[in-house]
Amino acid sequence: MAATHTDKAFEQDLRNLREKLLAMGAKVEALISQSTRALTDRDSALAEQVVGADREVNRLEVDIDDLCRRILALRQPAASDLRLITTALKIVTDLERIGDLAVNIAERAMDLNQAPPLAPYVDTPKLAELAQQQVKKALDAFVSGDAAKAEDVLKGDDLLDALFLKIFNELLAYMMEDSRNIRRATALMFIAKHLERIGDHALNVAEMVIYMVRGKDVRHPRSRDLE
């Protein structure tokens, strides 16, 4: 009876862990969307909301870290359960960084909103949509424990990187055409870079999902080729 009770408590801890990670993931997805909308709609009030909402992301990070440490100390998980917890500890760091990057975008938006817009912001909204999709797909892969879905995220990273490079070159052209564009174009370059970094964090999450499901570490393949 005691063993059954312990098993049920352990399963409840794992459910709580998944639920908290999903809540944090949903929060950062919303922050990506809101920070980009603050830019395209020139809505500085919305940008300020994004900055304030980051506190909730940070709180969830602390809660998840504490829960993982408690499970490790009290339950001594093994095999796939241990991989789930170590994966959660990695994922939560990437999600927290995504939240920070969304805040950076919102702060740049507040600055840009004080000046006339530079063209239609090039393809920045499309880049934001791709980055958000990558985060969502990576989290979906985690929830379903689907390594194939995680591999789709790895494949999608090339498209995001290509669009970032296109935006960078277009903004560079704006700067060369007219020096008055330099300040605004530079701010947009930073925003595009933040979005590209969000894609990198989604990639990290996907790689950890593959490890969780298959027990195989697919990070840094080129480094392993040198061994």
Side-chain angles (χ1 to χ4, degrees), residues 220-227:
H220 315 305
R222 291 178 183 173
S223 297
R224 285 196 298 278
D225 289 343
L226 296 176
E227 295 176 355

Side-chain angles (χ1 to χ4, degrees), residues 55-71:
R55 287 192 294 271
E56 175 67 10
V57 173
N58 293 337
R59 185 190 66 78
L60 283 166
E61 180 192 20
V62 172
D63 287 351
I64 292 167
D65 280 347
D66 287 346
L67 180 55
C68 287
R69 283 195 293 267
R70 186 166 67 82
I71 294 172

Side-chain angles (χ1 to χ4, degrees), residues 53-161:
D54 188 52
R55 287 192 294 271
E56 175 67 10
V57 173
N58 293 337
R59 185 190 66 78
L60 283 166
E61 180 192 20
V62 172
D63 287 351
I64 292 167
D65 280 347
D66 287 346
L67 180 55
C68 287
R69 283 195 293 267
R70 186 166 67 82
I71 294 172
L72 287 170
L74 298 179
R75 310 300 183 193
Q76 297 182 337
S80 61
D81 291 332
L82 180 58
R83 289 203 302 272
L84 168 62
I85 295 160
T86 55
T87 296
L89 285 167
K90 292 279 191 179
I91 287 176
V92 74
T93 302
D94 283 296
L95 292 178
E96 191 275 335
R97 283 298 299 132
I98 290 172
D100 288 345
L101 290 165
V103 168
N104 292 345
I105 292 168
E107 289 172 342
R108 292 281 178 183
M110 283 189 278
D111 182 46
L112 282 166
N113 291 346
Q114 298 177 38
L118 183 66
Y121 290 129
V122 203
D123 285 321
T124 305
K126 185 177 178 182
L127 183 64
E129 184 180 351
L130 281 176
Q132 189 176 347
Q133 286 174 358
Q134 287 285 89
V135 173
K136 182 175 181 2
K137 287 192 290 186
L139 289 170
D140 287 347
F142 170 75
V143 173
S144 59
D146 192 330
K149 284 184 180 178
E151 286 174 337
D152 286 341
V153 177
L154 271 57
K155 295 171 186 173
D157 190 59
D158 288 342
L159 180 61
L160 195 146
D161 287 344

Side-chain angles (χ1 to χ4, degrees), residues 4 11 28 31 35 52 56 79 93 105 121 131 137 168 195 199 208:
T4 302
E11 287 302 318
V28 300
L31 292 183
S35 62
E56 175 67 10
T93 302
I105 292 168
Y121 290 129
K137 287 192 290 186
F168 183 89
L195 291 168
M208 288 308 302

